[in-house]
Amino acid sequence: MRCLVTGATGYIGGRLAPRLLEAGHAVRCLSRSAGRLRDVPWKDRVEIVEADLLDPSSLVAALDGIEVVYFLVHSLGQADFEQRDRQAATNMAAAARAAGVRRIIYLGGPEPPADEHPSAHLRSRAEVARILLASGVPTVVLRAPVIIGSGSASFEMLRHLTERLPAMITPRWVSNRIQPIAVRDVLRYLIGAADLPPEVNRGFDIGGADVLTYAEMMRRYARVAGLPRRIILPTRVLSPWLSAHWVGLITPVPNAIARPLVASLVHEAVAHENDLTELLPGPTEPTRGGKQKATPDVLGFDESVRLALGKIRDADVETRWSTASGGDAAAEPLPSDPKWSGGSLYLDERCRPVEAPPEHLWRVIEGIGGENGWYSFPLAWSVRGWLDRLAGGVGLRRGRRDQHRLRVGEALDWWRVEEIEPGSLLRLRAEMKVPGRAWLEMRAEPSPSGGSVYRQRAVFLPRGLAGHLYWASVLPFHGLVFAGMARNITAEAEESLRRRPAQPVADG
């Protein structure tokens, strides 16, 4: 089936396109700027067309030969988003009908009761749904509430509010019921909707296995994330307008997006029917014998959060940030996601040229720790080790097993060797007592000039407010510790070149 994915540079579209490819479909991605897809790993497997949904003439070529259109765009965050989304839907409806498209699939929002005054966000979503359903092209509208997945604006609001505020005074809408759904279940419904019979032209409510209040979602998120129980005190004072500004202050979600999303939370978002699950086959998973067995139709809230946070190993989480922390990483956004998505991540990065070949630099990197020390401010490392032991940690007393060689999984002072690429990469995971997770990564890379380049990166994923305060407290020392470390490691590599030839690199 030939599918057009609009919004391929967005949160859902960027995850749907590779899933469609896996399902055997031919995929064309529409974007106003093809360059925004240059970093996605599947770009060479799709056709990319540049078009603007507000320019009807540009849609003719984009829809040529297309059978199914995924309408996954919105202008949320812009002042005139209702007008822009109305025009985009109208243009797509007319162009799809003229091109002979077999089906349109639209991911919208929950539909509030008729007796309520809907927020601008939900009002716009409902209007777009009506336009597409009246297009003359069979259309499926999926009405989704809060989507649980790293990179989703709604999930990022929940994540940051819960992690950064151990106690909070909340508006009364935190008592409204919501039926959150995992992003992988949304993707499954989107893919399955393409195979519905041509007479199906309607909207469907979709939701996860649990119906919770927003306050319950924050408490359960805290439990899954390993945070202390959150204290939540509802009040009638905070209006949606004030709440949105508070969300904008506490979380990295831009105010222009937070305001309409918070305004939508004044409405309950619970599925009123479950018709789509009866029309689509449920998910399956392979058994040891190679057969497929049915799994629950949709995920519960806790499991959805575990997947979003990367706490379920070997799960099919396409957002995993493996370049920083290996298999124990949190699920991070795709290259096409907004910069503010994916949770808090603190980095200290250093890069220095080295007038010595990579093998000399690598020998210094692999020999770090133990009796050789950490090449910067020994007193600071010693004090931090004593403090760690006082807190019940391992401190620096473990040393290292071998003076020259390291192996994956062995202890190195208060670190654990997580990954080694002999001659090029050493990644250490901290086992000291810190309110979060920390890694130290060191790389030796060849330089076109004949020498090498030393790259050093310290990574910290904070847990709760204490984690953010911890990073702020140690930040003033980074210039001394990490800058000195990079400077002294490179100097030692250059000095080793003058003292003796490099030893062959061992095979890990």
Side-chain angles (χ1 to χ4, degrees):
M1 197 176 299
R2 293 182 59 82
C3 303
L4 176 70
V5 177
T6 68
T9 58
Y11 174 67
I12 295 294
R15 289 155 176 77
L16 177 64
R19 295 293 184 96
L20 289 171
L21 291 170
E22 292 171 7
H25 301 298
V27 178
R28 180 183 296 166
C29 295
L30 182 153
S31 175
R32 284 181 295 176
S33 173
R36 294 184 63 191
L37 291 169
R38 66 180 182 275
D39 294 328
V40 297
W42 39 265
K43 66 179 183 301
D44 295 330
R45 300 167 57 199
V46 302
E47 179 186 359
I48 301 174
V49 296
E50 288 191 345
D52 188 343
L53 290 170
L54 299 181
D55 177 10
S57 63
S58 69
L59 300 180
V60 176
L63 289 167
D64 182 38
I66 291 298
E67 299 171 85
V68 176
V69 170
Y70 284 94
F71 195 80
L72 305 174
V73 296
H74 62 74
S75 303
L76 200 63
Q78 302 189 46
D80 58 345
F81 74 87
E82 287 188 86
Q83 178 183 344
R84 294 173 68 88
D85 286 352
R86 180 187 308 116
Q87 189 61 53
T90 301
N91 292 345
M92 177 56 76
R97 182 173 60 249
V101 171
R102 288 171 43 193
R103 177 165 298 287
I104 298 173
I105 301 171
Y106 171 56
L107 180 63
E111 193 167 326
D115 57 348
E116 293 186 13
H117 181 67
S119 68
H121 172 224
L122 294 185
R123 182 173 65 233
S124 176
R125 291 296 182 104
E127 181 182 25
V128 169
R130 288 194 297 271
I131 292 171
L132 297 177
L133 287 168
S135 65
V137 178
T139 296
V140 169
V141 175
L142 303 182
R143 295 187 288 260
V146 171
I147 296 177
I148 303 298
S150 182
S152 160
S154 296
F155 178 73
E156 297 304 333
M157 282 172 44
L158 174 70
R159 182 210 299 256
H160 286 90
L161 284 172
T162 309
E163 290 188 352
R164 296 185 177 185
L165 298 175
M168 61 196 92
I169 298 175
T170 57
R172 59 184 178 182
W173 51 256
V174 300
S175 299
N176 288 347
R177 296 186 308 154
I178 301 171
Q179 193 168 348
I181 183 171
V183 63
R184 64 182 53 210
D185 285 326
V186 174
L187 296 172
R188 179 170 60 86
Y189 283 138
L190 285 168
I191 294 171
D195 294 321
L196 290 175
E199 63 270 17
V200 176
N201 186 68
R202 55 163 290 190
F204 296 91
D205 291 341
I206 59 174
D210 299 315
V211 176
L212 307 165
T213 67
Y214 203 90
E216 290 171 335
M217 288 168 57
M218 287 191 285
R219 290 192 179 101
R220 287 175 63 166
Y221 176 97
R223 186 175 64 200
V224 172
L227 301 171
R229 179 179 174 83
R230 272 26 198 165
I231 300 173
I232 300 173
L233 303 174
T235 177
R236 293 180 177 272
V237 176
L238 290 176
S239 66
W241 182 82
L242 286 173
S243 301
H245 283 282
W246 178 246
V247 169
L249 177 65
I250 298 298
T251 79
V253 180
N255 267 331
I257 294 176
R259 281 196 299 271
L261 288 179
V262 169
S264 301
L265 292 173
V266 302
H267 308 288
E268 290 201 335
V270 177
H272 298 288
E273 44 84 11
N274 198 32
D275 297 348
L276 189 59
T277 58
E278 299 177 3
L279 296 174
L280 299 179
T284 60
E285 62 181 18
T287 63
R288 288 187 176 180
K291 297 182 179 180
Q292 299 286 320
K293 70 173 182 179
T295 61
D297 284 342
V298 288
L299 299 175
F301 178 79
D302 290 1
E303 187 173 11
S304 301
V305 172
R306 289 190 188 97
L307 287 166
L309 297 180
K311 288 182 174 290
I312 298 181
R313 290 185 176 274
D314 302 323
D316 182 18
V317 182
E318 63 276 271
T319 54
R320 186 171 297 281
W321 189 62
S322 59
T323 58
S325 47
D328 198 31
E332 291 299 313
L334 295 177
S336 56
D337 287 346
K339 292 182 179 180
W340 46 261
S341 60
S344 299
L345 179 70
Y346 294 118
L347 296 173
D348 184 284
E349 296 181 285
R350 312 279 170 171
C351 177
R352 291 181 64 90
V354 186
E355 295 181 1
E359 56 266 27
H360 283 266
L361 176 57
W362 175 250
R363 188 175 63 232
V364 179
I365 292 173
E366 192 177 14
I368 201 167
E371 294 183 2
N372 294 328
W374 293 88
Y375 292 96
S376 72
F377 205 172
L379 179 60
W381 285 90
S382 297
V383 170
R384 185 63 183 88
W386 298 334
L387 292 175
D388 191 54
R389 293 190 65 177
L390 288 174
V394 297
L396 294 173
R397 67 181 185 271
R398 295 191 302 188
R400 53 180 294 154
R401 176 191 57 84
D402 184 282
Q403 188 177 358
H404 303 291
R405 297 285 180 257
L406 292 174
R407 297 177 182 174
V408 172
E410 70 182 20
L412 175 60
D413 291 330
W414 62 44
W415 304 93
R416 180 73 59 180
V417 179
E418 185 172 86
E419 186 174 346
I420 294 180
E421 295 176 9
S424 62
L425 168 67
L426 172 63
R427 181 180 298 134
L428 307 174
R429 185 180 70 250
E431 294 187 336
M432 68 186 83
K433 294 289 186 179
V434 291
R437 292 183 287 171
W439 293 264
L440 179 62
E441 183 178 277
M442 291 166 279
R443 291 180 179 269
E445 299 177 354
S447 171
S449 65
S452 57
V453 176
Y454 174 67
R455 298 188 186 277
Q456 175 182 296
R457 178 165 59 171
V459 181
F460 184 63
L461 293 173
R463 184 176 67 248
L465 180 61
H468 295 279
L469 295 177
Y470 171 80
W471 180 262
S473 70
V474 300
L475 190 59
F477 301 100
H478 286 180
L480 292 172
V481 175
F482 289 128
M485 184 176 177
R487 183 174 59 252
N488 293 332
I489 285 177
T490 56
E492 177 65 19
E494 291 169 347
E495 178 63 24
S496 72
L497 178 62
R498 292 187 285 269
R499 289 197 305 260
R500 57 177 175 169
Q503 300 297 321
V505 174
D507 295 331

